Amino acid sequence: MSPTRLLEICSPQLSNTKVSAISGSPGIEAGSGLVSEDTTNILDTVEVLDLNGNAIPISDLWKDRKAVVAFARHFGCVLCRKRADYLAAKKDIMDASGVALILIGPGSVDQAKTFSEQTKFEGEVYADPGHSSYKALQFVSGVSTTFTPKAGLKIIQLYMEGYRQDWKLSFEEDTVAKGGWQQGGIIVAGPGKTNISYIHKDKEAGDDPDIEDIIKACC
């Protein structure tokens, strides 16, 4: 099976859907002044849902602590399951430094619960049904960021490693309508609502940064 065909299968939307691609993702950024004041102000109005359905201002997740916050493509995504494992493998280092590990996905609380149960992810999991945090951080979305040879090859590799897409989650209405073309990213934030010390914006599906860059930023 070709990489392109695998990407068609692993995206929960049909290949003839018309979507405007957003280009120009900066990939990894680090240092001061990573996000504008407007972005931090918008983030301060964004709420995510915990696994009990409670709404929490997203900036409260790092207001009083430092946190590594990963943003998944969607809760059924095989690439995001790898991202969860790749981060959790360094959780002992984060714990020793007092750094929280958090994963946010665009979808429902039920989808977030299923993801948490299936992956046994050791960090905190939150749902962002309206994609508000993704919009605030200007994470890219579009066909051209999803259907790439590199992403296709990575999916093949993950299947060989034993990872699997959750097709039921991938084809639920919320994901089909909103999340199929969405890309995510990773930030290191806090303590302090406006303190974002590292940001990686995925340029394409499966665009994981070097884990050592994240550890250097958080710990």
Side-chain angles (χ1 to χ4, degrees):
M1 185 179 295
S2 70
T4 301
R5 178 57 182 152
L6 272 172
L7 263 293
E8 289 173 356
I9 290 172
C10 290
S11 174
Q13 292 168 302
L14 299 178
S15 59
N16 62 356
T17 302
K18 295 181 179 178
V19 181
S20 297
I22 302 171
S23 61
S25 169
I28 300 173
E29 302 174 10
S32 61
L34 293 182
V35 296
S36 67
E37 185 177 350
D38 285 345
T39 297
T40 56
N41 288 339
I42 293 170
L43 278 174
D44 203 33
T45 69
V46 169
E47 291 185 333
V48 292
L49 303 178
D50 68 16
L51 296 184
N52 293 315
N54 299 311
I56 300 171
I58 190 171
S59 56
D60 280 5
L61 298 179
W62 57 78
K63 178 179 67 174
D64 299 318
R65 60 183 180 174
K66 182 172 281 191
V68 173
V69 187
F71 294 82
R73 291 189 61 244
H74 59 82
F75 285 117
C77 174
V78 65
L79 296 164
C80 303
R81 288 157 190 260
K82 176 64 175 181
R83 172 165 288 183
D85 281 354
Y86 133 105
L87 291 170
K90 299 293 184 179
K91 191 173 183 297
D92 57 339
I93 298 175
M94 297 179 198
D95 288 345
S97 299
V99 176
L101 176 58
I102 296 169
L103 185 140
I104 295 172
S108 68
V109 171
D110 285 342
Q111 287 176 313
K113 286 181 180 177
T114 300
F115 174 89
S116 183
E117 291 165 0
Q118 289 178 341
T119 62
K120 310 300 182 187
F121 182 63
E122 296 180 1
E124 302 168 25
V125 179
Y126 297 87
D128 181 0
H131 292 210
S132 299
S133 59
Y134 292 74
K135 294 172 185 175
L137 288 164
Q138 300 180 337
F139 289 139
V140 300
S141 178
V143 176
S144 66
T145 65
T146 303
F147 296 102
T148 70
K150 184 178 178 181
L153 290 172
K154 189 164 187 177
I155 289 172
I156 292 171
Q157 178 184 348
L158 294 183
Y159 265 70
M160 291 175 66
E161 292 177 11
Y163 287 90
R164 293 294 182 268
Q165 184 99 353
D166 185 306
W167 301 110
K168 184 175 183 297
L169 286 182
S170 299
F171 284 94
E172 286 186 7
E173 183 177 355
D174 285 350
T175 301
V176 171
K178 297 179 181 179
W181 312 113
Q182 180 67 59
Q183 308 309 326
I186 297 173
I187 68 172
V188 176
K193 286 187 174 185
T194 63
N195 182 15
I196 297 177
S197 55
Y198 171 95
I199 182 168
H200 168 86
K201 298 181 180 183
D202 295 345
K203 298 183 290 295
E204 60 185 333
D207 179 26
D208 291 319
D210 189 327
I211 189 65
E212 296 305 322
D213 290 336
I214 299 169
I215 295 303
K216 185 182 299 183
C218 76
C219 306

